[in-house]
Amino acid sequence: MRGRTGATEVSVLRRWGRLLPGWLALSTTWIVLVGGTPGWVSAAAAGAAPTLFTIAPDTPEPNSSEEIARATTEPRFSSPWVSYVPASSTVPSPRAFLHRIAGAPGELVDSGTAFAYARALAAASPRVRVFKIGRSEEGRDILMLAIADEAGIQQLDQLKADTTALADPRKTDAAAATKIIERARPIYYFNAALHSDETGSTEAVLELAYRLAVSEQPMVDRIRRNLVVLINPVSNPDGRDKQVEWFYRYLKGKTELEKLPRQAPPYWSRYAYVDINRDAHQLTHETTKAVQRMLFEWHPQVVHDLHESVALLITWNGTGPINEHIDPISYNERMELSFHEVQTLTAFGMPGVWTWNFGDDFAHLFMDSIGLNHNAIGRGYETFGNGTAETLTQTSPPDEMSQEWYRPSPPPNAPFKWSARDNLNYTETGALSVLDAAAQQSKSLLSNFYQKGLHSWQKGVTEAPYAYVIPDGQGDPTRVAQLVSRLMSQGIEVQRAGAQLKLQEGVFPAGTYVVRLDQPYRNYAVDLLSAQHYPKDGGEPYDDVSWSFPAHYHLNVIPSADAGVRTASLTQLNEAPHARGSVLEAAASAQAYLLKDTGQEGLLEARFRLAKFKVDIAERSFSAGGMEYPAGSWILPAQPGLGKALGDAAGQLGLEFDAAPKVPDVSHHAAPVPRLGVWIPWADTDTSGWARYSLDQRHIPYSYVRDEDIRAGKLRSKYDVLLYPHVDLELAEQIQGIPKSWGPMAFKKTRTTPSFGSPAGSDDITGGIGYAGLAEIQRFVDSGGLLITLGSGSWVTNAPLSSMAPPRFMIACCSAVLPSTRLLPCRALPPVLRMVVDRWGGRDRQAGWVALGSSPHTHRRRAMSRGLRGGAAGLWAVPACGPAVPACPVASWGWAAWSRGRPPRRRSSGC
């Protein structure tokens, strides 16, 4: 309904004016209510007479405006764009489907309901389609909505083909690109609910999807006509369902921030917690794989990830140092879009909207980086979310309250109430703002996307290095295959030499892998295959400072400055390679099989595959059949069925077994298969999840050991080896765990919590192992068990009641050097564990503990949702070969380095 000018409107304007900062008199937009109907007031220039602009041609759903107003704690925490739900006679709104507004206090929608609404929306609207892009580890679908006008929906296949063509300038010349850009549309992708306790984005994007589908506002119509909007409402459905059930079981009705119990379940996915957003390079999680599949099918120009942690909305742009391998166009585009959002929301009078001062811009390993690493724009939000659907009284962090050039209107400097609807208002308003900006510069986005691929390709043509050479047969062939496979999974093209390859760097045999850099993802290939150099004066890094694949895989990868590599006889790989070993043919009289120990990736898995066979470990080097075998090599006496088992293991694991006419005359000991237990404290399942993932990927059986299993004792009767991975916990937290005052806190599958109990369950996750449990670990070691600790897990050996002797040897994971001077990457858990287990059956075996690395890993990003103390303590490794040295120095996150004591807000520290 169009409002009338007069005394009523002036009165309303004055009331709103008193609520907003004085400088907003220069704003272009105010919100007014005329007869209970939301409307807009705009001024073309400062001092111009305001004119009313109502929501017409939309009609609000009856009572939707009033419900949204009640759920919004203050008028300044909203905008006219989201102050109502547009009515439709044919398409169900989230309000109609859920029987409440999106962002209603005290309510959350689970993944099943969210996806049911997505399907209902697509079924009812010709402007919406729904796609399945993946399936979670626990078997839940991962769905994505595509939204455009009717013509865009009908042309989706052509629009996808257009962006695919623009992604590869080798196949699309400038003239063809110009024609494609004339008809094509940018594709803008939103990713919601990656971090499960950041609960607001799912309902925000569901309402956004509906608004885009049915609103007839000119701005929304412009978005539909000029863009294709992709929305993934629940990217991590396993974690979403656990979080929703956790809320209704432990948080609903609790509105006092300082009295809240733990705000998130112990698991958000099968392995990772916060680190699910550090998976762009390795692609281990099904959530990440689903987004990567979307990227290669749709080639979106923007990948926008939605998070919560900062007052009240920050649109990501780092302060630097920046990553030199990202095209400068992307940095400029991100900054332009971010300042558009800041300007738009600030003009509405919404405080606390800012950009730039959020971490650095060096490591691009996050979900949005999937776009940024592939010539798209990667961006994200952090809103203030409560970590619960209830309304809480919040306080802005002190370092986020100053007025700066990048934060022109700071968040409130006094305590304020903040609701789920407030959070939704910010997210949805920001999304509409940036979609409108993208719609108005759609051709520029497409042109820039093409140009970035062109720049990357041409650098590979005109600048050295022109290729990277990956010799086959070096070190562990499985690692060579893994590195090549990882590159290919990122869309990086890899070739293989069909004949001897002669370059100025040397002569390489046939079978050598080559990454030619005249390709669209050249920049990403260089980023992954070269060393990183974080500036010494770069300040405190936000996250990783190195991810170089050659160092990670312990392989020699050679950059080539020889442009002749482009004319070499190379064949492009279409399938990932697989290293296959063999068993040397032997006479029937063979009495043993030998396996040289060179630190192969598959040795530990092989021992478990061959569990029913006797395996001995040589205690010193020896010769056999004219070959030299180092200490640690395997000796397998002839046994029934062994030959076939070795053939299977060799083929799967890339191992080379040699036959011998007799058992070598060398001192050796048996290597029985140990019973392995992995202790996972309930207080932090995230960092230890990577150890579990590594073992699971290599099919190494182990028992999941909970805190209560430690407390129950009798560990030696169950386990020979107890592995305690690195955890992001201080020593007291490792022992005392989640506060018992919150207990009993069950995490097990029931009728009302069907997603609990995976991958492990408990009647009560509070209390940790306690000092009684620490004593049980001491008994385990004293009775002959072997304790292996990783990183900060080594702290338990310094705890009270612990009298464990110093380790017989220490393997410092990451950057410290072994006594043998061999570097050992953190990823090498199986070989390291295998090396320790090899010693299990030795005559000189000693009970005790082995510390594998001691990374301080001081950032406290998980502390908030776990309800634990923050703070960071240094950790020193004491290798057997020398004095104390700092191991794996990893700087803390400045913005998340909480002081000791109770933090002001218990929640995940965002991204």
Side-chain angles (χ1 to χ4, degrees), residues 399-752:
D399 62 348
E400 296 174 13
M401 290 195 294
S402 62
Q403 187 176 24
E404 309 287 349
W405 64 267
Y406 53 83
R407 186 169 50 223
S409 177
N413 58 10
F416 59 95
K417 287 189 178 296
W418 185 255
S419 70
R421 183 67 204 190
D422 295 334
N423 192 73
L424 183 152
N425 293 339
Y426 271 71
T427 300
E428 190 178 356
T429 301
L432 287 167
S433 170
V434 74
L435 287 176
D436 188 39
Q440 294 189 61
Q441 52 183 304
S442 60
K443 302 309 177 185
S444 295
L445 286 172
L446 291 168
S447 177
N448 287 343
F449 179 68
Y450 176 77
Q451 288 295 325
K452 287 181 283 188
L454 181 66
H455 291 168
S456 186
W457 167 44
Q458 285 299 304
K459 273 192 173 183
V461 173
T462 61
E463 299 179 15
Y466 299 106
Y468 283 94
V469 179
I470 308 171
D472 193 18
Q474 59 170 314
D476 182 358
T478 297
R479 290 187 182 175
V480 176
Q482 287 175 343
L483 185 151
V484 171
S485 299
R486 183 67 61 225
L487 293 172
M488 293 177 66
S489 72
Q490 294 290 354
I492 295 168
E493 297 170 359
V494 182
Q495 295 82 27
R496 199 168 193 184
Q500 189 181 70
L501 178 63
K502 296 182 179 180
L503 300 172
Q504 66 185 44
E505 289 78 18
V507 179
F508 304 93
T512 296
Y513 295 99
V514 178
V515 181
R516 280 176 40 180
L517 295 178
D518 52 336
Q519 57 176 298
Y521 300 145
R522 174 265 182 200
N523 289 348
Y524 191 27
V526 174
D527 192 37
L528 294 176
L529 293 174
S530 60
Q532 285 72 48
H533 301 283
Y534 191 87
K536 292 182 178 180
D537 59 353
E540 205 164 31
Y542 180 84
D543 209 280
D544 287 0
V545 296
S546 179
W547 48 89
S548 175
F549 276 13
H552 180 77
Y553 285 97
H554 261 254
L555 295 172
N556 187 27
V557 177
I558 304 153
S560 176
D562 191 336
V565 70
R566 293 200 294 270
T567 61
S569 176
L570 303 174
T571 301
Q572 184 163 319
L573 299 182
N574 296 317
E575 294 183 358
H578 177 76
R580 296 190 180 278
S582 63
V583 180
L584 183 66
E585 294 293 335
S589 59
Q591 296 299 303
Y593 292 91
L594 309 178
L595 176 61
K596 186 179 295 186
D597 180 357
T598 59
Q600 301 96 313
E601 188 82 8
L603 282 176
L604 184 58
E605 182 177 350
R607 186 63 194 99
F608 282 95
R609 279 176 174 259
L610 302 171
K612 68 178 184 179
F613 299 101
K614 184 177 187 296
V615 176
D616 292 328
I617 304 296
E619 296 179 350
R620 58 179 176 80
S621 61
F622 65 94
S623 300
M627 298 180 61
E628 297 296 323
Y629 293 84
S633 294
W634 290 20
I635 304 171
L636 297 93
Q639 302 161 65
L642 178 60
K644 182 180 185 305
L646 291 180
D648 292 342
Q652 291 296 317
L653 304 177
L655 300 175
E656 298 287 345
F657 293 90
D658 303 318
K662 64 177 183 178
V663 175
D665 183 15
V666 62
S667 58
H668 59 269
H669 61 262
V673 177
R675 299 169 299 169
L676 174 62
V678 182
W679 168 28
I680 311 294
W682 286 115
D684 177 26
T685 63
D686 194 11
T687 44
S688 54
W690 294 112
R692 290 178 44 244
Y693 175 83
S694 182
L695 295 172
D696 286 347
Q697 289 297 301
R698 291 158 180 82
H699 309 100
I700 297 168
Y702 61 90
S703 297
Y704 187 112
V705 182
R706 309 166 301 169
D707 291 338
E708 53 264 53
D709 299 324
I710 298 288
R711 295 195 304 263
K714 299 182 179 179
L715 301 176
R716 189 65 187 85
S717 67
K718 305 170 188 175
Y719 320 114
D720 299 314
V721 178
L722 185 61
L723 171 65
Y724 182 31
H726 171 78
V727 289
D728 198 7
L729 300 170
E730 295 178 4
L731 178 57
E733 297 164 351
Q734 294 184 39
I735 298 171
Q736 298 168 357
I738 298 169
K740 287 189 70 66
S741 60
W742 295 342
M745 187 170 272
F747 182 69
K748 64 180 182 179
K749 186 174 182 176
T750 67
R751 182 180 60 81
T752 57

Side-chain angles (χ1 to χ4, degrees), residues 360-426:
D360 55 56
D361 227 342
F362 190 74
H364 294 294
L365 43 84
F366 309 102
M367 183 64 81
D368 71 295
S369 305
I370 289 176
L372 203 57
N373 292 328
H374 294 91
N375 300 325
I377 305 170
R379 58 195 320 270
Y381 287 164
E382 299 279 350
T383 55
F384 202 42
N386 284 328
T388 172
E390 301 292 359
T391 301
L392 304 178
T393 298
Q394 292 279 14
T395 303
S396 302
D399 62 348
E400 296 174 13
M401 290 195 294
S402 62
Q403 187 176 24
E404 309 287 349
W405 64 267
Y406 53 83
R407 186 169 50 223
S409 177
N413 58 10
F416 59 95
K417 287 189 178 296
W418 185 255
S419 70
R421 183 67 204 190
D422 295 334
N423 192 73
L424 183 152
N425 293 339
Y426 271 71

Side-chain angles (χ1 to χ4, degrees), residues 788-811:
I788 301 174
T789 59
L790 305 180
S792 63
S794 303
W795 291 354
V796 297
T797 61
N798 297 319
L801 301 183
S802 175
S803 59
M804 299 179 200
R808 189 156 46 97
F809 60 92
M810 166 171 284
I811 301 172

